[in-house]
Structures are given as C-alpha cells and as structure tokens.
Amino acid sequence: MAKKMTEDEVRDKARKVLNMEGRDDVKAGVGQLTTFNQLGFPGVADKPDGWYLPNNRSDVAVVLETKASNIKLGKAQVDEVLKNVHIVEEHYQRVVGVLYNGDDTRVYKGDTEYTGNSSNVLQNIEYYVALFNDDHIDKEHIYDLTRRINDCLHFEFGIKNLYHRMIFTACALVAKRYDALMVSGMDYSTFTNAIQSSLAKALIRDKKQNQKLELLLDVFSEIRMNLNVNSEDEKEQQHVKDLISQFIGWVTDISDCINSDTWRGEDVMGIFFNEFNRYKGKSEAGQVFTPEHITDFMYRILEVNQNDRVLDATCGSGGFLVKAMANMIAEAGGMQTSKAKKIKSEQLYGIEFDREIYALACANMLIHKDGKTNLEQMDARSEEAGKWIASKGVTKVLMNPPYENKYGCIEIVENVLDNVPPHTMCGFILPDKKLEKSPNKSKSRRILKHHRLCKVIKLPEDLFFGIGISTSIFVFEAGVPQNSEEFFGCCMATDGLEVVKNKGRHDIHNRWADIEDYWVQVVKRQSGDYSIQWIDPEDYLSYQTPPKPFEIFEEDFEKVAFDYLMFSMQYGGENNEQD
C-alpha cells in the first residue's frame, strides 16, 4: 500500500516533477508563503502552491494547487484551482490550472478540463505550456511544399539523383533544426556553407551525434547539380538567388510545421519522403517504402505502447521508427514530457545497410528533434548485426525488409527472430508467397522450428501503387516453435485510398480511419470478417485467396444461346447445299 503523503510532501514532489524554476523572462516557483499580491496581483492575499508567470503576458501561465494524497480531487478542490486560474486570468489570456494530490492530476485550460494523453500524470512545466499550442499539422500544405521542392531541385537545380534531392533537403531541414542562418537573397555558396557550418557546429555541441552528422556532411558534400552557380552573368546570378530564396522559404515552412510544439504524432517526414518517391516506386537499393498509414496499422496490431523498445533492422528512411516515436510520445503525453526524452534516447533502434539511405534515416530522426536514436549502418544479415540486436532488449519489431533474394530477405527475417528475446512479437511486410517459394521454403521451415508464425494479414493489391507487388503482414512470436500449430489469416481487400494524379495514393474520402479500426479489431479478436482463415503451416505459409465463385448471368446465357444458333444455322446451311 502506497504511503500517504502530506500536502507539504506532495508539494515537494510537484516541485521536482514540474521543474518550475524562475528565469529572467519568467517568474516561477513552488511554495506556500508567496501571495498573489507579491506576484503582481494587487490586493489578492491568496497563496498559490505553484506559479509560472512569463514576463510576456501573451504567453501561457500555469498555476498549481496541491492536496494531501488522502484528499480526493473532487468539486471542492476543482473550485479552488479554478479560483486561482481566474485570478491569473486578470493578467493572462491563456492559463493552465494543475490540481495534484501526489497520485492523481486534473488539468484545466481556463475553465475547461483537459483530458488528453497522460493528463492524469503530473508532467514537467513544458507540457502544460504547450497545451495551448496548435494541435495539428496541415498535411496538404506539406505535400504542396515538398512537391515544389522536388520539382525545383530536379528541374532547376539539376539534381537528377532521387536520393541526392532528398538528402539535400533533409540536410537543410536538419540545419534549420540547429538554427542555421538561412535567409532570402543568399547566393549558392553562402547557402550551402550555412548548412555545412551548422552541422559542423552541432558536432561540437553533442558528441553523441558525431557519427550521424558527419555522415550527413559527407553525403551532402558529394551532391552534384547542373545549376550554373558560378556564372558571372547578373541575370543568371539573380536567378540562382531567387531559386535559393524560394527553397529556403519552403524548407522554413516545413521546419515550422514539425517543430516540437505542433507535432502531435503525424509522420511529417513520412509525407516528405513519400512525396519524393512518388515517381519511383522502388528505390535503387531494392527497397519498398512503407505507406504511412500502414506503419500506423502495424504499430496498432502489434499493440506497441510507450514502454516498448522498437526495432526496425531494415529501417530505410526511418518511417517505422518515426511512426513508433510519434505514437509512443503521444501516448506518454507529448513532446514536452520527460518520458518523450527517454523514448527517443533508449527505445528506438534501427539498422540500414545502404549508406545514403542510412543518412536519410539519421536526418529523419534529427529533424524530429531526436539526435539520440540508436541507428547503425550494417548488414542486417550479419553476425555483427545479430549481436547488436541481442544487446538492445527489443520488445517489438516493425519491418518492411527488401524483397529481392539478393538482399537476403529471408536471412534478415531469420537473423532478427534469432536475436530478439523469446516471445517478442515481430511484424514483417513481405510478398504474399515469399515464405513458400523456392529457394526460401527450406529456410522458412528452419525458421518455424524456432519461431511461430501467428498471423498473416493480406494487404490490398494496389497498396504499393505502380510496383505490382502483392504483400501481406507476417506476425511472428520469436523463440516459440511452430509445432504444426495453425496460424490466423485474413484479407484487407481495400484501404479506402485512391490514386491522385501525380501524387500517389491518398485518403481523399477519409475512409481509412474506420477501415483501420475495423481491421485492428478483427486481428485482435481473430474473428468478425468473412475472409478469416485458419491455415495449416504444413500446407501453406500464406493467406489463401479463395477462388472466385462460379456465376452465370442472363446476358451470358443469351450470348451462348446466340452463338449456338449461329453455329446451327451455318451447319444446317452446309447440309442443305449437300442435299
């Protein structure tokens, strides 16, 4: 039974969690002796238990009310914190009231109770300050900006290599994250030097990030373009400056969208990378980039939560890791929580073999305010990778490995399963028949001697638009032999997305949310849909699409009858001639 805390003990605990220390621009503290009058509210003798009062009164203010742990946070206690909120509202338009008894927390934005993620747990002061910030990102705006960037770099800058266009933009975004000075009117040399200088300075500030940022610098320096940046013609020089000014404006807009206050779980860089890949369904490295809505679906069907340690051993540009980061942080209460920092630094692990794509993955995480994620460049089939995976205490695996045999698809799957702890749930997107086609079948049988295939979810045929690959999600439980146990199968025939010209597949009718919820429940309950199968692994290692039922329609009958009549007339005519 938890020890009961006095109000003084609760207040001391709140002081440590909130970390409300005063600064030159903020009057803040926790105590019981300071009156509102002393804090700048003339004539008010009431004493708040905690206060956060910025000098700029357009900023968010926070007021704390504490109670002993044996006092429930009912109406009388709520009235007390709201009274203090109203006092502070005399000077501030945006006020957060926090009511806390050591066990439970109630939060108020003005008079309205806030019941968002982790609102019942006391958080640090940044969490409460951020509650009044924008709570969404305009995805369509991001799509429009990235389309402009892609076209500008391809046609104007002359960067023909797909990944070099992506890396050029990603480095600019990372530089913005590190406060690089990029302003309108820069020439090319000043602009690129600003990016390189910003990244180089970041190396000094955070040794933990050295390897990643150095790699970004190396790859950035290798990018070549056909833009005439050294022309002495004034018109040509002005044209280059205009292009760079446009590019800086677009990058700045994207950077503003993905700052820590407005990011609420959207994988903005997933949007970014998908847009850059819209002309190329499969990368030069043999990888298929996972659509963002499917990364979210896999997160849900594997029941990942904020305490998991997530691995993607073929992480590509980092889509699964960013989605896991987004969802885990949202569940923890947002970017401003202490848990968010732990998630970033200790709970996300990725491996990528291709050097340029590895640089993109690093940039993707850095852009999302994460310089501590454990990313390594190595071959996921190797013993070295196996040892690295085994050392991380992984609890969930989300992956879309390269499909071609030359990249060792099945060997990667096996190496991951062999090196995560027993009972770890692992989800892989693979071609439907990958496990049962030669020469993979014998390898798959070897895998099943040590690991259990639990579920196969057939994905829509047009999921990877333009590539022509039919895929399924294969969910394994590591360290548990199959022993001929049947596995669950079902078929998601559609995800509701439609092809938009020059933009790929999009949820233009907002159907996906309901479809996703439906299939999450079907997979969880293993019931509720006509497509469900229980499959004997001795027979198949894939979902078995039922043959189409035989149907005959009236027009079919009429056609056959007409054909027969014409044949009969022709045959009869020949007989008459003979007669």
Side-chain angles (χ1 to χ4, degrees):
M1 183 175 180
K3 176 182 175 292
K4 297 295 183 183
M5 291 186 289
T6 66
E7 184 171 341
D8 286 341
E9 290 173 325
V10 171
R11 193 180 300 109
D12 288 340
K13 182 179 179 181
R15 178 184 290 108
K16 296 176 183 177
V17 176
L18 286 165
N19 194 25
M20 288 204 300
E21 296 181 358
R23 306 192 304 262
D24 290 342
D25 60 338
V26 176
K27 191 181 298 181
V30 175
Q32 197 182 26
L33 301 178
T34 306
T35 66
F36 276 114
N37 184 69
Q38 293 171 297
L39 293 171
F41 298 84
V44 182
D46 298 68
K47 299 174 182 178
D49 289 305
W51 57 92
Y52 180 90
L53 305 171
N55 295 344
N56 184 349
R57 293 185 178 181
S58 64
D59 291 342
V60 177
V62 181
V63 62
L64 170 70
E65 180 70 22
T66 59
K67 298 296 175 187
S69 59
N70 64 339
I71 297 178
K72 293 184 178 181
L73 304 183
K75 184 179 184 305
Q77 291 70 38
V78 169
D79 288 343
E80 285 189 63
V81 75
L82 289 180
K83 177 184 176 183
N84 289 344
V85 167
H86 297 152
I87 291 171
V88 177
E89 283 179 335
E90 291 295 322
H91 291 172
Y92 296 85
Q93 292 183 342
R94 301 183 297 171
V95 181
V96 175
V98 181
L99 181 60
Y100 180 58
N101 69 357
D103 296 319
D104 297 323
T105 309
R106 297 183 72 171
V107 181
Y108 291 83
K109 293 172 63 176
D111 288 326
T112 304
E113 185 164 12
Y114 174 73
T115 56
N117 285 328
S118 297
S119 59
N120 63 331
V121 177
L122 190 68
Q123 305 287 352
N124 58 34
I125 190 64
E126 289 82 6
Y127 172 89
Y128 299 109
V129 171
L131 291 183
F132 275 97
N133 290 327
D134 295 335
D135 60 357
H136 70 281
I137 294 173
D138 186 347
K139 288 189 177 183
E140 288 304 316
H141 183 53
I142 298 293
Y143 274 117
D144 182 57
L145 291 171
T146 52
R147 183 173 63 253
R148 295 181 192 182
I149 288 172
N150 194 14
D151 291 343
C152 179
L153 294 180
H154 182 71
F155 298 110
E156 299 286 354
F157 281 67
I159 304 177
K160 301 304 181 183
N161 183 289
L162 168 71
Y163 286 112
H164 284 184
R165 295 198 300 274
M166 295 167 70
I167 290 167
F168 189 86
T169 311
C171 285
L173 281 165
V174 173
K176 286 295 294 183
R177 181 248 194 267
Y178 283 97
D179 302 318
L181 180 62
M182 295 192 294
V183 296
S184 180
M186 281 182 161
D187 59 26
Y188 178 79
S189 177
T190 305
F191 172 59
T192 53
N193 285 341
I195 295 175
Q196 292 175 320
S197 175
S198 177
L199 295 180
K201 288 178 181 177
L203 296 177
I204 299 172
R205 288 199 296 266
D206 193 340
K207 293 182 179 179
K208 180 85 173 183
Q209 298 172 1
N210 278 7
Q211 181 184 1
K212 300 172 190 179
L213 294 174
E214 284 176 352
L215 178 61
L216 283 178
L217 275 171
D218 290 344
V219 176
F220 182 79
S221 67
E222 295 166 4
I223 295 173
R224 298 290 178 265
M225 57 184 67
N226 294 325
L227 185 66
N228 188 2
V229 297
N230 297 314
S231 172
E232 295 182 1
D233 182 79
E234 289 186 8
K235 288 186 178 180
E236 185 66 25
Q237 290 177 4
Q238 188 58 49
H239 177 62
V240 172
K241 289 182 179 180
D242 290 343
L243 290 175
I244 291 172
S245 295
Q246 280 187 325
F247 181 83
I248 289 173
W250 297 329
V251 167
T252 300
D253 279 356
I254 292 177
S255 182
D256 289 344
C257 285
I258 58 179
N259 69 63
S260 60
D261 292 333
T262 58
W263 188 53
R264 291 294 183 271
E266 302 93 341
D267 180 11
V268 176
M269 288 310 297
I271 297 173
F272 176 77
F273 289 127
N274 285 338
E275 172 61 28
F276 270 84
N277 276 280
R278 64 189 168 94
Y279 298 122
K280 195 178 185 76
K282 188 193 295 187
S283 80
E284 290 140 2
Q287 297 190 5
V288 176
F289 286 79
T290 314
E292 181 195 352
H293 67 297
I294 298 300
T295 63
D296 189 64
F297 177 64
M298 284 184 65
Y299 179 98
R300 293 183 65 186
I301 63 173
L302 264 74
E303 300 182 1
V304 184
N305 64 64
Q306 62 175 305
N307 297 314
D308 276 314
R309 298 166 71 89
V310 178
L311 168 72
D312 182 352
T314 53
C315 67
S317 63
F320 273 121
L321 296 178
V322 169
K323 176 57 67 177
M325 181 202 299
N327 289 346
M328 292 163 76
I329 288 175
E331 183 184 336
M335 288 293 291
Q336 306 304 330
T337 60
S338 299
K339 178 66 172 176
K341 297 178 178 64
K342 184 175 182 181
I343 289 169
K344 291 180 179 182
S345 62
E346 301 178 14
Q347 296 178 225
L348 301 164
Y349 300 92
I351 295 172
E352 175 54 45
F353 181 69
D354 184 270
R355 178 173 174 269
E356 291 183 343
I357 299 175
Y358 174 73
L360 285 172
C362 293
N364 198 1
M365 306 307 287
L366 288 168
I367 289 162
H368 282 93
K369 311 292 185 189
D370 172 34
K372 300 293 193 297
T373 296
N374 295 278
L375 299 179
E376 294 293 336
Q377 184 188 6
M378 61 177 77
D379 187 339
R381 299 168 292 181
S382 68
E383 182 180 353
E384 176 193 17
K387 290 179 179 179
W388 186 85
I389 292 168
S391 70
K392 301 306 176 186
V394 172
T395 61
K396 295 285 169 60
V397 173
L398 302 171
M399 288 179 59
N400 184 9
Y403 300 155
E404 289 88 341
N405 288 330
K406 65 179 179 180
Y407 297 117
C409 177
I410 298 301
E411 287 83 355
I412 291 171
V413 171
E414 184 174 20
N415 203 28
V416 169
L417 290 171
D418 284 348
N419 286 287
V420 295
H423 307 293
T424 300
M425 301 307 298
C426 306
F428 304 91
I429 298 179
L430 301 170
D432 293 337
K433 306 297 182 181
K434 190 67 175 178
L435 296 181
E436 43 189 39
K437 279 189 174 180
S438 298
N440 296 322
K441 194 168 185 178
S442 61
K443 300 175 185 176
S444 300
R445 295 298 177 189
R446 184 176 67 220
I447 289 174
L448 296 184
K449 290 181 179 179
H450 306 284
H451 313 287
R452 183 165 71 95
L453 178 59
C454 305
K455 302 173 185 178
V456 175
I457 300 94
K458 175 79 175 67
L459 295 172
E461 292 288 341
D462 56 351
L463 178 67
F464 293 104
F465 173 68
I467 302 177
I469 299 175
S470 182
T471 58
S472 299
I473 299 171
F474 294 79
V475 179
F476 285 85
E477 181 179 5
V480 179
Q482 191 78 33
N483 291 334
S484 300
E485 185 173 340
E486 292 184 337
F487 62 89
F488 168 84
C490 62
C491 176
M492 181 196 298
T494 181
D495 56 8
L497 276 65
E498 295 185 11
V499 176
V500 178
K501 186 176 181 180
N502 294 329
K503 289 186 178 181
R505 301 179 73 246
H506 292 268
D507 188 18
I508 58 177
H509 299 297
N510 298 315
R511 297 168 177 162
W512 169 246
D514 290 338
I515 292 172
E516 180 183 27
D517 287 343
Y518 173 82
W519 284 106
V520 167
Q521 290 304 311
V522 168
V523 174
K524 181 178 181 178
R525 297 170 182 169
Q526 299 188 163
S527 64
D529 189 79
Y530 73 92
S531 70
I532 285 174
Q533 301 174 354
W534 288 95
I535 303 164
D536 187 340
E538 298 298 326
D539 297 330
Y540 303 103
L541 296 176
S542 64
Y543 179 81
Q544 298 303 296
T545 303
K548 292 183 179 180
F550 175 76
E551 293 181 298
I552 187 168
F553 299 94
E554 185 176 348
E555 54 266 31
D556 297 322
F557 178 80
E558 290 176 350
K559 182 178 184 303
V560 172
F562 180 76
D563 289 344
Y564 178 75
L565 178 62
M566 294 299 293
F567 172 78
S568 298
M569 291 177 63
Q570 181 182 10
Y571 182 76
E574 290 175 356
N575 283 344
N576 288 336
E577 288 178 4
Q578 290 175 357
D579 291 343

